[in-house]
Amino acid sequence: MMSRILFILSLCAFLGTAQAQQPRSWYFGLNMQAQKYWLYNYNDFNNEWLLPVAPKALVPNALSGGISFGRGFKKHFAFQADIQYSSQTQKFYFEHPNARPRVNIVCRLNYFKMPLVFQYNHLKWAKKTAGFYAEVGLQTSIMSYFRQTVTSIPGEDPSVSGQEIYEPHQYSVEVPYQPNNTYVWPAIDLFKNLQIGGIVGFGFKKIINEEYLLQAGFRFDYDFTDADNLTKGEYIYRSNLRYVLNSSAKTGEKRVNSHNIRAGLNFSISYFLNN
């Protein structure tokens, strides 16, 4: 009889413990990021004729959003996988010192991003339902679309003004160039389709009513692989038509890789699946 009572009490204690731990395990939710973005190439950013245009102070030039799926394990650790769609823009301004026209270049790149991060959680406030986290992980990105717009600004000669748009899989016809016209040219492989990068971040985490998980923090991600898909030469690099005359760049003749760099705010709200 006593053994049965002890067994029932042990079972109840186990179930109670399991029930208390479950809300902090599997979760599913939505995420959003607002970041500063750089399509960074050392040659481009150190060319005396080409000026990368920095984004405005409080205006992000990279936005992404998607879904999150994760699980807490052990006492302080968790992993989280995201599927996101991101759009980012890098602007350049070009002016050859002895030629016209001046040129504005806008590169917009869209990716499906799949980050996988591991988090260390230090929850201690309000009965260990709030605290800080730090994360590190890897990210795979797949190109979904790009658009590069090259706009000639008329200087002394207005006839050189016009706009050229480069997009994948577009149809174009060779026609005499006319000022103030817009031309759309096909461009299939200006940028590589697959990117591999790394992620680091930190922030604040809060569990609400053992049902919802809020996360807000800072995230930095850097693609290790080359974003450009160019044929390397010795004298001139159009740099995805970014008008980089590399033989006159301060960095010498060899063009280095381009990298996607993002840094900014990361938000998510999730629901614990096993409530």
Side-chain angles (χ1 to χ4, degrees), residues 149-161:
T149 305
V150 181
T151 304
S152 301
I153 305 170
E156 298 175 358
D157 184 1
S159 65
V160 298
S161 63

Side-chain angles (χ1 to χ4, degrees), residues 41-44 46-47 233-237 244-256:
N41 180 282
Y42 183 79
N43 303 88
D44 294 356
N46 291 273
N47 190 303
E234 289 186 359
Y235 298 108
I236 182 170
Y237 296 85
V244 180
L245 301 179
N246 201 63
S247 60
S248 298
K250 298 177 182 179
T251 52
E253 299 298 331
K254 184 177 180 181
R255 180 172 176 78
V256 299

Side-chain angles (χ1 to χ4, degrees), residues 57-68:
L58 299 178
V59 179
N61 59 339
L63 295 173
S64 63
I67 59 176
S68 299

